[in-house]
C-alpha cells in the first residue's frame, strides 16, 4: 500500500496518491482534473490558481495539516505583488504536495468551466472552444542542427502541449521570425483545432505571454436584423452585444423578394452579398470598440441564419431557393477562413463556422434553436417557436423532432408597420389600453417608467418617443382587442362605434392614435388598419406552421410551448394568446427562451463538441415544407380571427374577457375581410 500523500480535488471528487514534491498542476493533469494553464507551469499565466483547504474532512477521510503544501514561493510572491492573488489562493504549478491535501479548483481556473445563463431552465454552456492559447518556449536556432523556426515551434507545441501536425499560413509565417526573436524564444500562440479534420492551425502568435484574451463573435444573421455577441473565448462571458439592420432590406423586405431581386437583376446576388459582408465588417469594428478590445483578437465567428441569408453571406446564388424543390447548394455545416468571405475587420486568420441547414427553407437558425432548446431530449411534446421575419418552428420529443419555417414577414420585428421601428431606445415596447376610458399608457425602451408615471418625461428627454417595435405592436393589437377597439375579424371601429376620439378615420378605414407629438414637430404614432392586417398575416403564418407540424405528428395538443426570439423575450403570454399566435397549451406550460438562435450560435462558438452534436442532430430532424403543403393555406385562413376562431385558448377566459363587437358595416377595407369570413362560414 502506498504511503504517498493523498490529494483530493473538489468539486470533481477526483483523488490519487502522489509522491512528495509533485506540483498540484501535475497531479491534476494525471488525474484528468480540469485545471487551466496557458504557460505550461512556468508560473507566469496565473490560470492554475487553486484553493487548498485545511483541517478535518471526514467525507474524504483526510486530515489536512497546515504544511500539506510546499511553502509560498518567490514566483507566487512576485505574481501576488504584481497582480494580486485572492486570499487563500496558490498557484497550482508552484505549490507541491507535502502531505494529504484537499484542493478546490475555483470555476475561473477550470478549462471547461460552465457559463451561467440567465434562464433557469436553459442548458449550461461548457467552455471548450476550438481556439485556445498556448505559451511555449522554443529552442533557439543552432548552426549545427539547422531547422526552421516553424519546425522548432512545432516541436515545442508537440513536446509541451502534445499538439501535433500544425499548419500556418503565409501571413502567419511572415510574423513568425520577428515575433520569436522579440519574445526571446518565448511566445504565445492561438491554435484552432477543427472538429472535423483535427488539423491544428496557428491563428496568431505574440511575443512572451499574451494576456489580452481571445474573442469570438456569435452572429445571428436575420433577414431584418443582424445581432452579434462578442464573447470571451476563455470565460464565455459576453463582453458586448450589438446589432444593426440588415442592409439587404433595400433589395427586398422578405426572403422571397430578395430571391426575386437576384433572379431579376444580373449580379443582384453579388450586390446583396457585398452589402451584408460590409455590414458585418462595420458591426465587428463597432462591437470591438464598444467592448474596448482590439478587433484583431477576434479569432472565430459563428453564424446562424436562414438558407437565403446563408447563401447570400457565402456568395452563393439563392435562386434555387425560390422554387420547389428548394435545393440548397449545401446543407452541411461550413468551416472556412473569414477572409474568404471578405470579413476583413477581425483577425486576418480568423475562422468562420456556419451551422448546418436542415433542408429547403429550414436553415442554420433553426438548427441553432434545436441546439439551444434540445427538443429531442424532451420527454414531453414541446413546440418551440422562434419568431423573426421567418418563424422557425420545432415540434418534438425524444421519439421524433419535426421542423418547419414559416414566412411571417417582418411585422413582428416592427417592419412594414406604419409607425414601426427596430427595438431601440425611444421605441414603444409595452402598451396597455384602459378598457373603460380606451386611453393608452405605454413604456418605451430606455425608461423603466410608464408614460403616465413620474420620471417618464425625464427618462425620454434625449431619445423621445420614436415609434413602435415588434413587441409593442403585438401588445397594441392585443390590447385594442381587449379594449373593444377591434373586432374579431381585426377591423378597427370608428369613434362612434368605440366611444373614443382616439379612433380616427383614415381613408375608408380607422386608426387608433397612441401618441401625438406632431404639434411639437414629433411623430404621430398610430396603429392603422394596415398594421392590423400585417400582424394578422404574420400570426396566421406562425399558427399555420405550428399546426402543420402537429398534423404531421398526429396530435391536437402539445404539452408545452417555448417562445423564442425577440418575441419570446419580450411578449407576454397573455398578449400572444389574445392574438391567437400559437396553438393551445396550458398557460403555465408556455415559457420564454430568449434569443434561442443566438444562444445556439454562442454554444457552437464556446463548445466545439456541440458542433459535431448539432451536425448529428439535424440529420435526425424531419423537415416539413410549408410552401407546398395545401393544408398550410387552410390553417392560415382559419387562423385569421383575433383570437383564433376554432382554437381560442380555453385558458384565455382565465386571463381576460373579450368583447365581441363587429365593426363591419359592409364596406370599406373590410369588404375583403367580410368576404374572407363569408367564405369560411
Ligand atoms: S500554469 Fe501558468 S502560472 Fe501556473
Amino acid at each position: 500500500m502506498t504511503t504517498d500523500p493523498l490529494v483530493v480535488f473538489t468539486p470533481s471528487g477526483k483523488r490519487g496518491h502522489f509522491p512528495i514534491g509533485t506540483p498540484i498542476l501535475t497531479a491534476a493533469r494525471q488525474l484528468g482534473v480540469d485545471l487551466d494553464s496557458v504557460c505550461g507551469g512556468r508560473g507566469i499565466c496565473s490560470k492554475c490558481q487553486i484553493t487548498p483547504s485545511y483541517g478535518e474532512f471526514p467525507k474524504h477521510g483526510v486530515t489536512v495539516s497546515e504544511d500539506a503544501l510546499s511553502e509560498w514561493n518567490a514566483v507566487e510572491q512576485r505574481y501576488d505583488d504584481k497582480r494580486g492573488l485572492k486570499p487563500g489562493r496558490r498557484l497550482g504549478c508552484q505549490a507541491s504536495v507535502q502531505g494529504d491535501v484537499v484542493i478546490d479548483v475555483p470555476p475561473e481556473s477550470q478549462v471547461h468551466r460552465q457559463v451561467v445563463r440567465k434562464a433557469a431552465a436553459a442548458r449550461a454552456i461548457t467552455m471548450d472552444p476550438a481556439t485556445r492559447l498556448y505559451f511555449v518556449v522554443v529552442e533557439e536556432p543552432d548552426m549545427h542542427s539547422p531547422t526552421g523556426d516553424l519546425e522548432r515551434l512545432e516541436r515545442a507545441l508537440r513536446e509541451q502541449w502534445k499538439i501535433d501536425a500544425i499548419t500556418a499560413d503565409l501571413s502567419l509565417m511572415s510574423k513568425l521570425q520577428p515575433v520569436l526573436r522579440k519574445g526571446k524564444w518565448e511566445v504565445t500562440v492561438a491554435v484552432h483545432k477543427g472538429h472535423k479534420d483535427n488539423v491544428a492551425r496557428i491563428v496568431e502568435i505574440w511575443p512572451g505571454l499574451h494576456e489580452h484574451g481571445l474573442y469570438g463573435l456569435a452572429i445571428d444573421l436575420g433577414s431584418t436584423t443582424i445581432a452579434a455577441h462578442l464573447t470571451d473565448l476563455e470565460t464565455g462571458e459576453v463582453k458586448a452585444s450589438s446589432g444593426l439592420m440588415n442592409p439587404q432590406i433595400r433589395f427586398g423586405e422578405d426572403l422571397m423578394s430578395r430571391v426575386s431581386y437576384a433572379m431579376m437583376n444580373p449580379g443582384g446576388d453579388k450586390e446583396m452579398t457585398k452589402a451584408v459582408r460590409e455590414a458585418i465588417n462595420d458591426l465587428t469594428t463597432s462591437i470591438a470598440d464598444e467592448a474596448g478590445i482590439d478587433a484583431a483578437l477576434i479569432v472565430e465567428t459563428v453564424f446562424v441564419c436562414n438558407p437565403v441569408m446563408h447563401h447570400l453571406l457565402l456568395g452563393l446564388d439563392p435562386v434555387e431557393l425560390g422554387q420547389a424543390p428548394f435545393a440548397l447548394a449545401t446543407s452541411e455545416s461550413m468551416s472556412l477562413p473569414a477572409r474568404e468571405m471578405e470579413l476583413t475587420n477581425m483577425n486576418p486568420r480568423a475562422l468562420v463556422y456556419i451551422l448546418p441547414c436542415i433542408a429547403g427553407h429550414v436553415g442554420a437558425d433553426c438548427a441553432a434553436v434545436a441546439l439551444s432548446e434540445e427538443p429531442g431530449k424532451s420527454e414531453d411534446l414541446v413546440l418551440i417557436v422562434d419568431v423573426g421575419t421567418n418563424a422557425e418552428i420545432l415540434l418534438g420529443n425524444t421519439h421524433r423532432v419535426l421542423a418547419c419555417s414559416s414566412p411571417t414577414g417582418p411585422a413582428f420585428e416592427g417592419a412594414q408597420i406604419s409607425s414601426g421601428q427596430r427595438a431601440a431606445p425611444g421605441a414603444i415596447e409595452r402598451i396597455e389600453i384602459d378598457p373603460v376610458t380606451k386611453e393608452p399608457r405605454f413604456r418605451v425602451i430606455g425608461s423603466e417608467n410608464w408614460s403616465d408615471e413620474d420620471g417618464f418625461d425625464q427618462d425620454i428627454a434625449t431619445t423621445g418617443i420614436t415609434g413602435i417595435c415588434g413587441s409593442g405592436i403585438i401588445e397594441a393589437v392585443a390590447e385594442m382587442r381587449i379594449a373593444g377597439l377591434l373586432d374579431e375579424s381585426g377591423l378597427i371601429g370608428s369613434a362612434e362605434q368605440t366611444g373614443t376620439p382616439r379612433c380616427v378615420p383614415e381613408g375608408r378605414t380607422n386608426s387608433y392614435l397612441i401618441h401625438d407629438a406632431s404639434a411639437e414637430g414629433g411623430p404621430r404614432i398610430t396603429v392603422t388598419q394596415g398594421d392590423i392586417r400585417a400582424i394578422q398575416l404574420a400570426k396566421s403564418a406562425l399558427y399555420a406552421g405550428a399546426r402543420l407540424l402537429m398534423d404531421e405528428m398526429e396530435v391536437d395538443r402539445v404539452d408545452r410551448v417555448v417562445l423564442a426570439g425577440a418575441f419570446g423575450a419580450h411578449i407576454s403570454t397573455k398578449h400572444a394568446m389574445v392574438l391567437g399566435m400559437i396553438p393551445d397549451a396550458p398557460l403555465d406550460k408556455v415559457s420564454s427562451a430568449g434569443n434561442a438562435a443566438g444562444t445556439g450560435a454562442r454554444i457552437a462558438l464556446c463548445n466545439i463538441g456541440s458542433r459535431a452534436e448539432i451536425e448529428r442532430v439535424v440529420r435526425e430532424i424531419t423537415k416539413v415544407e410549408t410552401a407546398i403543403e395545401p393544408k398550410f393555406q387552410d390553417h392560415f385562413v382559419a387562423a385569421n380571427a383575433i383570437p383564433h376562431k376554432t382554437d381560442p385558448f380555453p385558458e384565455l377566459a382565465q386571463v381576460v374577457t373579450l368583447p365581441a363587437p363587429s365593426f363591419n358595416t359592409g364596406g370599406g377595407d373590410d369588404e375583403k375581410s367580410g368576404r374572407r369570413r363569408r367564405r369560411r362560414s
Side-chain angles (χ1 to χ4, degrees):
M1 201 179 124
T2 178
T3 52
D4 286 339
L6 175 66
V7 183
V8 180
F9 285 95
T10 60
S12 66
K14 290 184 174 163
R15 51 167 55 208
H17 291 274
F18 294 91
I20 287 176
T22 308
I24 295 299
L25 179 64
T26 307
R29 282 186 170 168
Q30 287 182 16
L31 290 173
V33 170
D34 194 14
L35 178 57
D36 202 359
S37 161
V38 167
C39 73
R42 294 182 175 83
I44 53 173
C45 73
S46 84
K47 299 283 182 191
C48 62
Q49 292 182 32
I50 46 109
T51 310
S53 303
Y54 301 99
E56 298 282 338
F57 295 89
K59 186 172 145 210
H60 302 304
V62 287
T63 302
V64 182
S65 62
E66 289 295 327
D67 57 359
L69 289 183
S70 57
E71 283 185 7
W72 179 256
N73 72 11
V75 174
E76 289 170 300
Q77 188 59 49
R78 194 178 59 220
Y79 189 84
D80 195 23
D81 292 344
K82 234 169 109 186
R83 301 279 165 80
L85 273 173
K86 281 190 187 162
R89 289 272 175 91
R90 300 285 307 265
L91 293 181
C93 62
Q94 301 301 312
S96 65
V97 178
Q98 304 295 323
D100 291 350
V101 68
V102 175
I103 299 287
D104 184 55
V105 181
E108 60 269 33
S109 299
Q110 294 169 15
V111 184
H112 303 287
R113 70 198 86 182
Q114 296 228 322
V115 180
V116 179
R117 289 184 48 198
K118 282 186 199 130
R123 68 178 278 180
I125 304 176
T126 301
M127 289 310 293
D128 191 8
T131 311
R132 286 179 185 280
L133 292 172
Y134 300 92
F135 176 85
V136 277
V137 179
V138 180
E139 205 183 315
E140 291 186 38
D142 180 344
M143 289 278 283
H144 302 293
S145 59
T147 49
D149 283 350
L150 182 65
E151 289 69 45
R152 269 174 284 107
L153 172 61
E154 191 170 8
R155 189 160 76 216
L157 279 166
R158 189 169 52 244
E159 289 173 359
Q160 293 164 39
W161 292 102
K162 300 192 173 50
I163 295 172
D164 276 327
I166 57 160
T167 62
D169 73 7
L170 196 54
S171 67
L172 194 282
M173 291 289 293
S174 66
K175 297 182 80 173
L176 181 66
Q177 295 204 305
V179 170
L180 277 170
R181 282 150 187 86
K182 188 172 176 199
K184 300 194 171 47
W185 306 99
E186 294 184 349
V187 291
T188 306
V189 285
V191 177
H192 175 280
K193 273 198 228 165
H195 67 295
K196 281 184 178 163
D197 57 12
N198 221 11
V199 171
R201 295 173 180 80
I202 302 184
V203 177
E204 192 52 276
I205 182 165
W206 297 269
L209 181 70
H210 170 73
E211 295 185 280
H212 301 288
L214 212 51
Y215 299 89
L217 284 176
I219 299 185
D220 181 3
L221 171 57
S223 326
T224 307
T225 54
I226 307 173
H229 303 290
L230 178 68
T231 307
D232 184 322
L233 288 180
E234 293 181 283
T235 64
E237 185 191 344
V238 176
K239 295 298 222 185
S241 294
S242 190
L244 44 75
M245 296 299 275
N246 188 332
Q248 291 175 342
I249 286 176
R250 68 174 185 268
F251 303 101
E253 289 259 357
D254 56 34
L255 295 176
M256 280 307 123
S257 46
R258 285 182 219 170
V259 174
S260 307
Y261 184 85
M263 283 172 165
M264 316 287 291
N265 300 279
D269 57 321
K270 300 277 174 292
E271 273 181 88
M272 288 187 277
T273 296
K274 185 165 177 274
V276 76
R277 289 176 174 178
E278 282 174 0
I280 293 163
N281 280 332
D282 291 347
L283 185 56
T284 305
T285 305
S286 66
I287 201 169
D289 283 352
E290 193 185 326
I293 66 144
D294 177 359
L297 294 174
I298 299 173
V299 292
E300 278 204 77
T301 297
V302 168
F303 281 99
V304 300
C305 44
N306 63 56
V308 175
M309 294 299 99
H310 173 273
H311 277 44
L312 289 174
L313 172 68
L314 285 165
L316 304 170
D317 192 335
V319 290
E320 291 304 324
L321 297 169
Q323 61 213 5
F326 312 109
L328 290 151
T330 176
S331 57
E332 296 283 311
S333 68
M334 305 271 295
S335 298
L336 69 167
R339 63 170 179 268
E340 266 187 40
M341 292 163 58
E342 292 159 340
L343 302 181
T344 50
N345 293 9
M346 53 188 76
N347 188 285
R349 288 163 296 279
L351 289 140
V352 165
Y353 176 74
I354 306 177
L355 270 74
C357 291
I358 295 175
H361 283 142
V362 189
D365 45 1
C366 199
V369 174
L371 179 60
S372 167
E373 299 308 310
E374 302 181 301
K377 292 185 181 168
S378 174
E379 290 295 332
D380 48 10
L381 187 62
V382 59
L383 175 74
I384 304 163
V385 283
D386 188 336
V387 174
T389 304
N390 253 34
E392 315 307 327
I393 310 173
L394 288 146
L395 175 70
N397 54 22
T398 47
H399 298 297
R400 196 176 176 212
V401 178
L402 309 174
C404 75
S405 176
S406 192
T408 46
F412 287 150
E413 294 185 290
Q416 278 179 2
I417 297 294
S418 58
S419 299
Q421 70 158 87
R422 195 165 74 81
I428 295 176
E429 59 167 349
R430 303 286 320 273
I431 181 162
E432 285 177 358
I433 300 174
D434 188 309
V436 179
T437 64
K438 322 288 185 196
E439 284 298 298
R441 70 198 282 260
F442 51 83
R443 258 173 55 177
V444 303
I445 296 175
S447 170
E448 286 298 306
N449 294 307
W450 286 84
S451 56
D452 56 353
E453 289 176 341
D454 290 345
F456 178 78
D457 291 341
Q458 285 117 293
D459 290 352
I460 59 147
T462 51
T463 61
I465 302 166
T466 48
I468 314 180
C469 68
S471 64
I473 188 70
I474 288 167
E475 292 204 2
V477 177
E479 287 284 320
M480 285 171 71
R481 178 75 184 100
I482 296 167
L485 302 170
L486 199 67
D487 72 8
E488 190 187 57
S489 73
L491 198 57
I492 303 175
S494 64
E496 298 75 53
Q497 288 166 322
T498 59
T500 172
R502 285 187 177 270
C503 285
V504 289
E506 204 164 294
R508 298 165 72 188
T509 60
N510 297 300
S511 292
Y512 176 70
L513 180 66
I514 295 177
H515 174 72
D516 190 359
S518 52
E520 303 96 62
R524 190 168 182 275
I525 298 172
T526 58
V527 178
T528 66
Q529 192 61 61
D531 298 341
I532 303 282
R533 291 294 174 237
I535 289 293
Q536 276 178 296
L537 293 178
K539 72 111 180 176
S540 301
L542 175 59
Y543 181 92
R547 201 59 229 191
L548 205 57
L549 295 189
M550 291 166 69
D551 289 350
E552 180 72 23
M553 195 71 101
E554 297 180 346
V555 294
D556 272 328
R557 301 268 296 191
V558 298
D559 296 324
R560 61 190 176 94
V561 176
V562 176
L563 302 176
F567 144 86
H570 303 293
I571 293 169
S572 73
T573 316
K574 178 179 101 175
H575 293 102
M577 285 171 47
V578 171
L579 274 189
M581 293 171 87
I582 44 171
D584 200 357
L587 240 184
D588 61 346
K589 295 283 185 186
V590 183
S591 62
S592 169
N595 179 1
T599 302
R602 271 182 61 210
I603 294 171
L605 179 65
C606 294
N607 184 295
I608 190 168
S610 70
R611 300 183 187 182
E613 179 192 334
I614 193 58
E615 288 161 16
R616 178 186 58 74
V617 164
V618 295
R619 282 195 281 273
E620 292 164 6
I621 294 178
T622 308
K623 185 218 63 170
V624 176
E625 184 54 68
T626 52
I628 50 162
E629 180 53 64
K631 269 203 200 150
F632 180 82
Q633 203 53 33
D634 297 342
H635 287 311
F636 182 86
V637 172
N640 208 261
I642 303 175
H644 190 287
K645 207 158 196 170
T646 55
D647 189 8
F649 282 114
E651 287 86 355
L652 194 56
Q654 299 165 10
V655 186
V656 64
T657 313
L658 289 175
S662 173
F663 298 134
N664 186 29
T665 51
D669 158 87
D670 272 278
E671 261 168 55
K672 237 198 282 165
S673 77
R675 266 204 305 276
R676 207 177 288 135
R677 281 199 306 281
R678 281 195 292 280
R679 221 181 17 239
R680 275 208 311 276
S681 57

